[in-house]
Amino acid sequence: MQVHVAIGEHPYNVHVGAGILTQAGEIVCRALREPAARAFVVADAGVPQSAVKALLKSLADRSLVATTTSITPSEPSKSWPALHSLLSQMAQARLERTDLVIALGGGITGDIAGFASATYRRGVPVVQCPTTLLAMVDSSVGGKTGINLDVPGSGLMKNMVGAFWQPTAVVADVELLRSLPARELRAGLAECIKHALMSADVEDPDLLEWTRTNMPRIVALDAPTLQELVARNVAAKARIVCGDEREQAKDGGRALLNLGHTFAHAIETLPDLTIGQTPGTLLHGEAVALGLIAAATCAAKMGLAPQAFATDVATLIRNAGLPTAVSGLPPDAEVRARMAHDKKSRAGELRLILPLGNGRAKVVSNPPEEAITAGLTAIRA
Ligand SMILES: NC(=O)c1ccc[n+]([C@@H]2O[C@H](COP(=O)([O-])OP(=O)(O)OC[C@H]3O[C@@H](n4cnc5c(N)ncnc54)[C@H](O)[C@@H]3O)[C@@H](O)[C@H]2O)c1
């Protein structure tokens, strides 16, 4: 299956299939505008060695000389020192302007390898081979690359430095999802549910119903269902980003992809939360799942969406095995203050993306306090 991403001056294809990593060399050679001699492979240390080997063999079959480096993905390692190390290894491997970088891994690997390729020799091609569900349906598509910035007094500021750098191709092999920890798979599902709540905006009206019906097959890792899930969600994200490549639209556009994310960003870095009996920090996708419930409840409180819709969102999230409530959240005023600091807020104005229950989402500026409180109450355990 292929999804064409008709973005700006550099359109590309996302190849989705079971076992297609073995065809990566062929896909890469067809996609490159000029032939490459070398490939610099940045491999996520969590990805099984068999996948790295399959990729390297497919490159060798096409006479591409590969150099491989491995990175251990964690937010602190999405950093200047790690970027510097990648760039200097690329120079040591004598990568030329026409050679390419291949990112094999989750969103952290794709973001840093993508940013290295955007800056090395003022830009070399990058091919994304996402290995987590989140990377397949979200981070590998749309061209955002970058690293975090550790700012004294402010801590780790996520994705503060980066570039828009579209991949030359994306190869999403759903077989790789079999080795992914179940918790990481579910975290990626939160972004799929987000797309499904915007089914009209992403021009796939049946996406919510399809996601609901197929959830048991998705969590059971049924290969044809996973392929359809990835392809439809890539197409969904592509429809949004193609209309707003650099996130400049005043209302809507790429901002809509932040549905539920202002709530999520405010809670995902909090240290002392507990889901069920499990204490610790949330994965981004878990925070997004809670954010979607909070946003739907907030919309219902404002009369923008039916109350039954908010309940349906929580049911879908529970069926995906994602948390619907968390304990240990600070008082509402503190969470609201953290939401106001979200980088998507402008000039102190709190901007939320809320689902309307009809397949559309909407930017709402400065929602009433009681609506935010209702949202937070809905996700307190
Ligand atoms: N560029 C964008 O548009 C965009 C969008 C969303 C998120 N992001 C970024 O993506 C990052 C999160 O990405 P993520 O959720 O993929 O997490 P991740 O990159 O941290 O990977 C999650 C974990 O899964 C392991 N893993 C990856 N693939 C595996 C496989 N096939 N089998 C077994 N283990 C595997 C990794 O080693 C890691 O431990 C964040 O840094 C976020 O900022 C970027």
Side-chain angles (χ1 to χ4, degrees), residues 44 46-48 73 75 78 106-108 111 131-132 134-135 138-139 144 158-159 176 179-181 184 237:
D44 179 323
V47 171
E75 288 301 333
K78 205 166 123 180
I108 291 185
D111 275 9
T131 64
T132 64
L134 179 133
D138 193 355
S139 60
K144 282 190 180 179
K158 279 193 71 177
N159 304 321
L176 296 172
S179 56
L180 191 66
E184 295 286 352
K237 179 157 184 193

